Amino acid sequence: MARKKSASAQGSRGGTAGLVLSLGGSALAVVRAAKRVRHAKGSHDRLNTADAVAGLLPLVTSAALVLRRLRGRRRKSASSA
């Protein structure tokens, strides 16, 4: 049975503000990576383009995970009210 982490053990991502900041950081990283993909495509270098796309995928996944946690918090607060 998994134990619930305390607020201090969750770190900066434990609260809603931390999740929002994390989402902002992820969004900024996705924008930068997208610029890198566009630049690589413009140079017509397939290996560089593949590298840029591979770097973009974990960032998109990270942003999606943070969004899911935020939505889960919003659903919990709506159902408990």
Side-chain angles (χ1 to χ4, degrees), residues 2-50:
R3 287 192 281 178
K4 196 167 188 156
K5 291 183 180 180
S6 68
S8 62
Q10 288 178 349
S12 64
R13 293 185 183 194
T16 304
L19 285 172
V20 170
L21 285 174
S22 179
L23 181 60
S26 294
L28 183 62
V30 167
V31 168
R32 286 183 179 179
K35 283 183 182 179
R36 186 172 163 218
V37 168
R38 279 196 306 263
H39 183 266
K41 284 179 72 176
S43 69
H44 301 293
D45 183 2
R46 287 187 180 196
L47 186 58
N48 201 8
T49 303

Side-chain angles (χ1 to χ4, degrees), residues 12-26 62-78:
S12 64
R13 293 185 183 194
T16 304
L19 285 172
V20 170
L21 285 174
S22 179
L23 181 60
S26 294
S62 172
L65 289 172
V66 171
L67 271 174
R68 184 171 68 180
R69 287 188 67 189
L70 279 171
R71 287 181 181 157
R73 285 180 177 264
R74 188 172 48 187
R75 285 185 189 136
K76 281 183 184 178
S77 66

